Amino acid sequence: MTALPLDVARQIVAAAREAGRKHDLKPLTVVVLDAGGHVVAVEREDGASTKRFEIAFGKAHGAVALGLGSRALMARAEQQPYFIAAATSAIGGALVPVPGGVLVRSADGELVGAVGVSGDTSDNDELAAVAGIEAVGLSPQTG
Amino acid sequence: MTALPLDVARQIVAAAREAGRKHDLKPLTVVVLDAGGHVVAVEREDGASTKRFEIAFGKAHGAVALGLGSRALMARAEQQPYFIAAATSAIGGALVPVPGGVLVRSADGELVGAVGVSGDTSDNDELAAVAGIEAVGLSPQTG
Amino acid sequence: MTALPLDVARQIVAAAREAGRKHDLKPLTVVVLDAGGHVVAVEREDGASTKRFEIAFGKAHGAVALGLGSRALMARAEQQPYFIAAATSAIGGALVPVPGGVLVRSADGELVGAVGVSGDTSDNDELAAVAGIEAVGLSPQTG
Amino acid sequence: MTALPLDVARQIVAAAREAGRKHDLKPLTVVVLDAGGHVVAVEREDGASTKRFEIAFGKAHGAVALGLGSRALMARAEQQPYFIAAATSAIGGALVPVPGGVLVRSADGELVGAVGVSGDTSDNDELAAVAGIEAVGLSPQTG
């Protein structure tokens, strides 16, 4: 069952891409997952390299898997790279610990999904993910 | 480089989903890949089970990998199940040999991508994929 | 160390492709491995589907791995599919048990490598592999 | 569909190997991929060690996957080793972040493939890849 309705996911994708255009970012790939870590919606913009889905998915999937935005996973990777390597292996390979994987929470703090963005710098990817989430009135958690 | 522009991929997804509503199908997941087998666009409808992206991706990815619609891959699986098992392993795991993975060709027959649909019966999944491809004036290859 | 010199491998590829043209076969992918099962030369003809290298490699690699042409591996798969599935897993995933993976032996019977071809029917793939091997005066073992 | 015709790929391989001879490099393995990251042509010179195909493929495949020459991937690995480890896992294992994986662009900047070379120092591997690409009038992107 989808915790994040497809209509909302599509609005998040559209708003994240719009933020990309507004800030003149490189072609973005935007992935929206539900609270179970499963794909709801994806769009890869023209000119993005081949495996951007896999990178964006890894940011969002790692975030849902460990319950932290991927910025916090980067901090952990800086401190304990062996933990992140082990966790990546343990969860089956999809965990990309750099900014751009953002948890989505409802007004009362419930986890409803995650957004992963890849294509520009990690900071800019995160900016686009946050813009997408805020555009639908939900709360982003980046770290 | 995307062989199938995102705008066209989104129209395919919309038309495939519309076919699903018109024929009263169960919630569909629609995946559009470029000619290299890489994700361009995905939408998973509310109520679809968790791993429908993976199933729909496997139909489309197997089709691109071997250059045949997934209906032809099913015929091969019926005759030589060990070949399909071996090919799946050889290409890295994503090949689902039942109808619903349809190659997308241009007017002059060039391969431009593939569409995978999962959610209803395999025949109905294929029907929705074909409807999506025809709606943008491209040619579906189901077998 | 290469058991099959690159110059010979390139002649095998050229002759296998020439056989494909002579018999009007679909676009072929030809892979030549040395006696250790490692890639020496590959050519994928224009119009071949994306994963044909992986399929052709799997035919030749499985042949070297078990010391039998892939036609004999198919016979084994018909009789004991669980053995072929287990062997595939045990050797790391690359074993495609249909004709087209042919061992290459010297005049005195020593194993010097293997050729894998994919693109047309399995029987035609094997025909092209055999033609390539015979063109350089070496002996093909198909089963 | 092959974005880089086999005839052009073969010329790239020949020119890269010629550069190796001219500069007295160790035996080289040269891999040419299309824009989707799929093998078009490979040659491994006599005396190269067994897994040079896998290394050269990983350089070129990582470059296509992330849209950067492998020299840029090395810079990223120096700064954030955990990112490169994570990306490698996310894209399925083939990403070698040292020089020698070079993107191939057309005159108007479109990505048409990638070349990976392994055998000598990484800098020399890159030199040979660049020579191969320039010999056919295409543009190399090393970083």
Side-chain angles (χ1 to χ4, degrees):
Chain A
M1 215 51 43
T2 312
L4 198 61
L6 174 54
D7 279 349
V8 175
R10 295 177 72 227
Q11 292 173 49
I12 291 173
V13 171
R17 291 182 57 198
E18 191 181 314
R21 295 297 71 73
K22 181 179 162 191
H23 295 281
D24 202 25
L25 306 186
K26 292 181 184 169
L28 299 180
T29 298
V30 184
V31 174
V32 180
L33 307 183
D34 64 21
H38 305 292
V39 172
V40 180
V42 182
E43 294 190 5
R44 178 165 65 102
E45 294 186 331
D46 300 345
S49 66
T50 58
K51 295 289 191 185
R52 288 290 163 184
F53 162 70
E54 284 78 2
I55 302 297
F57 176 79
K59 292 183 183 184
H61 184 259
V64 170
L66 298 186
L68 294 165
S70 63
R71 180 174 288 278
L73 298 175
M74 180 172 70
R76 187 72 183 267
E78 297 276 3
Q79 297 169 341
Q80 295 185 294
Y82 50 84
F83 171 73
I84 291 295
T88 300
S89 176
I91 72 174
L95 187 167
V96 177
V98 296
V102 182
L103 294 177
V104 182
R105 294 196 182 275
S106 64
D108 62 356
E110 190 191 5
L111 181 72
V112 295
V115 176
V117 176
S118 181
D120 204 281
T121 66
S122 296
D123 286 347
N124 284 337
D125 291 343
E126 184 188 78
L127 172 156
V130 166
I133 296 164
E134 291 181 339
V136 297
L138 291 165
S139 297
Q141 177 188 338
T142 58
Chain B
M1 213 50 43
T2 312
L4 198 61
L6 175 54
D7 279 350
V8 175
R10 295 177 73 226
Q11 293 173 47
I12 291 173
V13 172
R17 291 182 57 199
E18 190 181 315
R21 296 296 70 73
K22 180 178 162 192
H23 295 281
D24 201 25
L25 306 186
K26 292 182 185 170
L28 298 182
T29 299
V30 184
V31 174
V32 180
L33 307 183
D34 65 21
H38 305 291
V39 172
V40 180
V42 182
E43 294 190 4
R44 177 165 65 102
E45 295 187 329
D46 299 346
S49 64
T50 56
K51 294 288 191 186
R52 287 290 165 184
F53 161 70
E54 285 78 3
I55 302 296
F57 175 79
K59 292 182 183 185
H61 184 260
V64 170
L66 297 187
L68 295 166
S70 64
R71 180 175 288 279
L73 298 176
M74 180 174 70
R76 187 74 183 265
E78 298 275 3
Q79 296 171 340
Q80 295 185 293
Y82 49 83
F83 171 74
I84 291 296
T88 301
S89 176
I91 72 173
L95 188 167
V96 177
V98 295
V102 181
L103 294 177
V104 182
R105 294 195 183 275
S106 64
D108 61 356
E110 193 192 1
L111 182 72
V112 293
V115 176
V117 176
S118 181
D120 203 280
T121 66
S122 295
D123 286 346
N124 284 337
D125 292 343
E126 184 188 78
L127 173 157
V130 167
I133 295 164
E134 290 181 338
V136 296
L138 291 166
S139 297
Q141 178 186 339
T142 58
Chain C
M1 215 50 45
T2 312
L4 197 61
L6 175 53
D7 278 350
V8 176
R10 295 177 72 225
Q11 293 173 49
I12 291 174
V13 171
R17 291 182 58 197
E18 190 181 313
R21 295 298 70 73
K22 180 178 162 191
H23 295 281
D24 202 24
L25 305 186
K26 292 182 185 169
L28 298 181
T29 298
V30 184
V31 175
V32 180
L33 307 183
D34 65 19
H38 305 293
V39 173
V40 180
V42 182
E43 295 190 5
R44 177 165 66 102
E45 295 186 331
D46 300 345
S49 65
T50 58
K51 295 289 190 186
R52 288 291 164 184
F53 162 70
E54 285 78 3
I55 301 297
F57 176 79
K59 291 182 182 184
H61 185 260
V64 170
L66 297 187
L68 294 165
S70 64
R71 180 174 287 280
L73 298 176
M74 181 172 70
R76 188 71 183 267
E78 298 275 4
Q79 296 170 342
Q80 294 185 292
Y82 51 85
F83 170 73
I84 291 295
T88 300
S89 176
I91 71 174
L95 188 167
V96 176
V98 296
V102 181
L103 293 176
V104 182
R105 293 195 182 276
S106 65
D108 61 356
E110 191 192 4
L111 181 71
V112 295
V115 176
V117 176
S118 181
D120 203 280
T121 66
S122 296
D123 286 347
N124 285 337
D125 292 342
E126 184 188 77
L127 173 158
V130 166
I133 295 164
E134 291 181 339
V136 297
L138 290 165
S139 297
Q141 177 186 339
T142 57
Chain D
M1 211 51 42
T2 311
L4 198 61
L6 175 54
D7 279 349
V8 175
R10 295 177 73 226
Q11 293 173 47
I12 291 174
V13 172
R17 292 182 57 198
E18 190 182 314
R21 294 299 68 73
K22 180 178 162 192
H23 295 280
D24 202 26
L25 305 186
K26 291 182 185 169
L28 298 181
T29 298
V30 184
V31 174
V32 180
L33 307 183
D34 64 21
H38 305 292
V39 172
V40 179
V42 182
E43 295 190 5
R44 177 165 65 101
E45 295 186 331
D46 299 345
S49 64
T50 57
K51 294 288 191 185
R52 288 291 165 182
F53 161 70
E54 284 77 3
I55 302 297
F57 176 78
K59 292 183 184 184
H61 185 260
V64 170
L66 298 187
L68 295 165
S70 63
R71 181 174 289 278
L73 298 176
M74 181 173 69
R76 186 74 183 265
E78 299 276 2
Q79 296 170 341
Q80 295 186 293
Y82 49 84
F83 171 73
I84 291 296
T88 300
S89 176
I91 71 172
L95 189 166
V96 176
V98 296
V102 181
L103 295 177
V104 183
R105 293 195 182 275
S106 64
D108 61 357
E110 192 191 3
L111 181 72
V112 294
V115 176
V117 177
S118 180
D120 203 282
T121 66
S122 295
D123 286 346
N124 284 338
D125 291 343
E126 185 188 77
L127 173 156
V130 166
I133 296 164
E134 290 181 340
V136 296
L138 291 165
S139 297
Q141 178 187 338
T142 57

Coordinates of all heavy atoms in Angstrom, one line a residue, chain B residues 35-37 61 63-68 76 79-80 82-83 85-91 111, chain C residues 49-52 54-55 58-59 74 77-78 81 84 88 92-99 122:
Chain B
A35 N 16.7 3.5 -24.9 CA 17.2 2.4 -25.7 C 18.4 1.6 -25.0 O 18.8 0.5 -25.4 CB 17.6 2.9 -27.1
G36 N 19.0 2.2 -24.0 CA 20.1 1.6 -23.3 C 19.6 0.8 -22.1 O 20.4 0.2 -21.4
G37 N 18.3 0.8 -21.8 CA 17.7 0.1 -20.7 C 17.7 0.8 -19.4 O 17.6 0.2 -18.4
H61 N 13.3 -4.2 -19.1 CA 14.7 -4.4 -19.2 C 15.1 -5.6 -19.9 O 16.0 -5.7 -20.7 CB 15.3 -4.4 -17.8 CG 16.8 -4.4 -17.8 ND1 17.5 -5.6 -17.5 CD2 17.7 -3.5 -18.0 CE1 18.8 -5.3 -17.6 NE2 19.0 -4.0 -17.8
A63 N 13.4 -7.0 -22.2 CA 13.0 -6.8 -23.6 C 14.2 -6.1 -24.3 O 14.6 -6.5 -25.4 CB 11.7 -6.0 -23.7
V64 N 14.7 -5.0 -23.7 CA 15.8 -4.2 -24.3 C 17.0 -5.1 -24.4 O 17.7 -5.1 -25.4 CB 16.0 -3.0 -23.5 CG1 17.3 -2.3 -24.0 CG2 14.9 -2.0 -23.7
A65 N 17.3 -5.8 -23.3 CA 18.5 -6.6 -23.3 C 18.7 -7.6 -24.4 O 19.7 -7.8 -25.0 CB 18.6 -7.4 -21.9
L66 N 17.5 -8.3 -24.7 CA 17.6 -9.3 -25.8 C 16.9 -8.9 -27.1 O 16.9 -9.6 -28.0 CB 16.9 -10.6 -25.2 CG 17.7 -11.2 -24.0 CD1 17.1 -12.5 -23.7 CD2 19.2 -11.4 -24.3
G67 N 16.4 -7.7 -27.1 CA 15.8 -7.2 -28.4 C 14.5 -7.8 -28.8 O 14.2 -7.9 -30.0
L68 N 13.7 -8.3 -27.8 CA 12.5 -9.0 -28.1 C 11.4 -8.5 -27.0 O 11.8 -8.3 -25.9 CB 12.6 -10.5 -27.9 CG 13.5 -11.2 -28.8 CD1 13.8 -12.6 -28.3 CD2 12.8 -11.3 -30.2
R76 N 10.0 -18.4 -25.1 CA 11.3 -19.0 -25.0 C 11.4 -19.7 -23.6 O 11.9 -20.8 -23.5 CB 12.4 -18.0 -25.1 CG 13.8 -18.5 -25.1 CD 14.1 -19.2 -26.5 NE 15.4 -19.8 -26.5 CZ 16.5 -19.3 -27.0 NH1 16.4 -18.1 -27.5 NH2 17.7 -19.9 -27.0
Q79 N 9.7 -23.0 -23.6 CA 10.5 -24.0 -24.4 C 11.8 -24.4 -23.7 O 12.1 -25.6 -23.6 CB 10.8 -23.5 -25.8 CG 9.6 -23.3 -26.7 CD 9.9 -22.6 -28.0 OE1 11.0 -22.0 -28.0 NE2 9.1 -22.7 -28.9
Q80 N 12.5 -23.4 -23.2 CA 13.8 -23.6 -22.6 C 13.9 -22.8 -21.3 O 14.6 -21.7 -21.3 CB 14.9 -23.2 -23.6 CG 15.0 -24.0 -24.9 CD 16.1 -23.6 -25.7 OE1 16.2 -22.5 -26.3 NE2 17.1 -24.5 -25.9
Y82 N 15.7 -23.1 -18.8 CA 17.1 -22.9 -18.4 C 17.8 -21.8 -19.1 O 18.6 -21.2 -18.6 CB 17.8 -24.3 -18.5 CG 17.7 -24.9 -19.9 CD1 18.5 -24.5 -21.0 CD2 16.7 -25.9 -20.1 CE1 18.3 -25.0 -22.2 CE2 16.5 -26.4 -21.4 CZ 17.3 -26.0 -22.4 OH 17.1 -26.6 -23.7
F83 N 17.3 -21.6 -20.4 CA 17.9 -20.4 -21.1 C 17.6 -19.1 -20.5 O 18.4 -18.2 -20.2 CB 17.5 -20.4 -22.6 CG 18.0 -19.1 -23.3 CD1 19.3 -18.9 -23.6 CD2 17.1 -18.1 -23.5 CE1 19.8 -17.8 -24.2 CE2 17.5 -16.9 -24.1 CZ 18.9 -16.7 -24.4
A85 N 16.5 -18.6 -17.4 CA 17.2 -18.5 -16.1 C 18.7 -18.1 -16.3 O 19.2 -17.2 -15.5 CB 17.1 -19.8 -15.4
A86 N 19.3 -18.7 -17.3 CA 20.7 -18.3 -17.5 C 20.9 -16.9 -18.0 O 21.8 -16.2 -17.6 CB 21.3 -19.3 -18.5
A87 N 20.0 -16.5 -18.9 CA 20.1 -15.1 -19.4 C 19.9 -14.1 -18.3 O 20.6 -13.1 -18.2 CB 19.1 -14.9 -20.6
T88 N 18.9 -14.4 -17.4 CA 18.7 -13.5 -16.3 C 19.9 -13.3 -15.5 O 20.2 -12.2 -15.1 CB 17.5 -14.1 -15.5 OG1 16.4 -14.3 -16.3 CG2 17.2 -13.2 -14.3
S89 N 20.6 -14.4 -15.2 CA 21.8 -14.3 -14.4 C 22.9 -13.6 -15.1 O 23.5 -12.7 -14.6 CB 22.2 -15.8 -14.0 OG 23.4 -15.7 -13.3
A90 N 23.0 -13.9 -16.4 CA 24.1 -13.3 -17.2 C 23.9 -11.8 -17.3 O 24.9 -11.0 -17.3 CB 24.2 -13.9 -18.6
I91 N 22.7 -11.3 -17.4 CA 22.5 -9.8 -17.6 C 22.4 -9.1 -16.3 O 22.2 -7.9 -16.2 CB 21.4 -9.5 -18.5 CG1 20.0 -9.8 -17.9 CG2 21.5 -10.2 -19.8 CD1 18.8 -9.3 -18.7
L111 N 15.0 1.2 -32.6 CA 14.7 1.0 -31.2 C 14.9 2.3 -30.4 O 16.0 2.9 -30.5 CB 15.5 -0.1 -30.6 CG 15.2 -0.4 -29.1 CD1 13.9 -1.1 -29.0 CD2 16.3 -1.2 -28.5
Chain C
S49 N 21.1 -6.2 -29.8 CA 20.5 -5.7 -28.6 C 21.6 -5.5 -27.5 O 22.7 -6.0 -27.7 CB 19.4 -6.5 -28.1 OG 19.8 -7.8 -27.7
T50 N 21.2 -4.7 -26.5 CA 22.2 -4.2 -25.6 C 23.0 -5.2 -24.8 O 24.2 -5.0 -24.6 CB 21.5 -3.4 -24.5 OG1 20.6 -4.2 -23.8 CG2 20.8 -2.1 -25.0
K51 N 22.5 -6.4 -24.4 CA 23.2 -7.3 -23.6 C 23.7 -8.5 -24.3 O 23.9 -9.6 -23.7 CB 22.2 -7.8 -22.4 CG 21.8 -6.7 -21.5 CD 22.9 -6.2 -20.6 CE 22.4 -5.3 -19.5 NZ 23.5 -4.7 -18.7
R52 N 23.9 -8.4 -25.6 CA 24.4 -9.5 -26.4 C 25.8 -9.9 -25.9 O 26.2 -11.1 -26.0 CB 24.4 -9.3 -27.9 CG 23.0 -9.3 -28.4 CD 22.4 -10.7 -28.4 NE 20.9 -10.6 -28.6 CZ 20.1 -11.7 -28.5 NH1 20.6 -12.9 -28.3 NH2 18.8 -11.5 -28.6
E54 N 26.9 -10.0 -22.9 CA 26.8 -10.8 -21.7 C 26.3 -12.2 -22.1 O 26.7 -13.2 -21.4 CB 25.8 -10.1 -20.7 CG 26.3 -9.0 -20.0 CD 26.4 -7.7 -20.8 OE1 26.0 -7.6 -22.0 OE2 26.9 -6.7 -20.2
I55 N 25.4 -12.3 -23.0 CA 24.9 -13.7 -23.4 C 26.0 -14.5 -24.1 O 26.3 -15.6 -23.8 CB 23.7 -13.5 -24.4 CG1 22.6 -12.7 -23.7 CG2 23.2 -14.9 -24.8 CD1 22.0 -13.4 -22.5
G58 N 28.6 -15.5 -21.7 CA 28.1 -16.6 -20.8 C 28.1 -18.0 -21.5 O 28.4 -19.0 -20.8
K59 N 27.9 -18.0 -22.8 CA 28.1 -19.3 -23.5 C 29.5 -19.8 -23.5 O 29.8 -20.9 -23.2 CB 27.6 -19.1 -25.0 CG 26.1 -18.8 -25.2 CD 25.8 -18.7 -26.7 CE 24.3 -18.4 -26.9 NZ 24.0 -18.4 -28.4
M74 N 23.5 -27.6 -22.7 CA 22.1 -27.6 -22.9 C 21.5 -29.0 -22.7 O 20.4 -29.2 -22.0 CB 21.7 -27.2 -24.4 CG 20.2 -27.2 -24.6 SD 19.8 -26.4 -26.2 CE 20.4 -27.7 -27.4
A77 N 21.2 -29.4 -19.1 CA 20.1 -28.6 -18.6 C 18.8 -29.2 -18.8 O 17.8 -29.1 -18.0 CB 20.2 -27.2 -19.2
E78 N 18.6 -29.9 -20.0 CA 17.4 -30.6 -20.3 C 17.1 -31.8 -19.3 O 16.0 -32.0 -18.8 CB 17.4 -31.2 -21.7 CG 17.5 -30.2 -22.8 CD 16.2 -29.6 -23.2 OE1 15.1 -30.0 -22.6 OE2 16.2 -28.8 -24.2
P81 N 18.1 -29.7 -14.8 CA 18.1 -28.2 -14.7 C 18.7 -27.7 -13.4 O 19.4 -26.6 -13.4 CB 16.7 -27.8 -14.9 CG 15.9 -29.1 -14.7 CD 16.7 -30.2 -15.1
I84 N 22.5 -27.3 -13.6 CA 23.0 -26.2 -14.4 C 22.7 -24.9 -13.6 O 23.6 -24.0 -13.5 CB 22.3 -26.1 -15.8 CG1 22.9 -27.2 -16.6 CG2 22.6 -24.7 -16.4 CD1 24.4 -27.2 -17.0
T88 N 25.8 -22.5 -12.3 CA 25.8 -21.1 -12.7 C 26.0 -20.2 -11.5 O 26.9 -19.3 -11.5 CB 24.4 -20.7 -13.3 OG1 24.2 -21.5 -14.5 CG2 24.4 -19.3 -13.7
G92 N 29.6 -18.0 -10.4 CA 29.4 -16.6 -10.4 C 28.5 -15.9 -11.4 O 28.5 -14.7 -11.5
G93 N 27.7 -16.7 -12.0 CA 26.6 -16.2 -12.8 C 26.6 -16.2 -14.3 O 25.6 -16.0 -14.9
A94 N 27.8 -16.5 -14.9 CA 27.9 -16.5 -16.3 C 28.1 -17.9 -16.9 O 29.2 -18.4 -17.1 CB 29.1 -15.6 -16.7
L95 N 26.9 -18.5 -17.3 CA 26.9 -19.8 -17.9 C 25.5 -19.8 -18.7 O 24.5 -19.9 -18.0 CB 26.9 -20.9 -16.8 CG 27.1 -22.3 -17.3 CD1 27.4 -23.3 -16.2 CD2 25.8 -22.9 -18.0
V96 N 25.6 -19.8 -20.0 CA 24.4 -19.8 -20.8 C 24.3 -21.1 -21.6 O 25.1 -21.2 -22.6 CB 24.3 -18.5 -21.7 CG1 23.1 -18.6 -22.6 CG2 24.3 -17.3 -20.9
P97 N 23.5 -22.0 -21.2 CA 23.6 -23.4 -21.7 C 22.7 -23.6 -23.0 O 21.8 -24.4 -23.0 CB 23.0 -24.2 -20.6 CG 22.0 -23.3 -19.9 CD 22.5 -21.9 -20.1
V98 N 23.1 -22.9 -24.0 CA 22.5 -23.2 -25.4 C 23.6 -23.1 -26.4 O 24.6 -22.5 -26.1 CB 21.4 -22.1 -25.7 CG1 20.2 -22.2 -24.8 CG2 21.9 -20.7 -25.7
P99 N 23.4 -23.7 -27.5 CA 24.5 -23.8 -28.5 C 25.0 -22.4 -28.9 O 24.3 -21.4 -28.9 CB 23.9 -24.4 -29.7 CG 22.9 -25.3 -29.1 CD 22.3 -24.5 -28.0
S122 N 20.3 -20.2 -31.9 CA 21.4 -20.8 -31.2 C 22.2 -21.7 -32.2 O 23.4 -21.7 -32.2 CB 21.0 -21.7 -30.0 OG 20.4 -20.8 -29.0

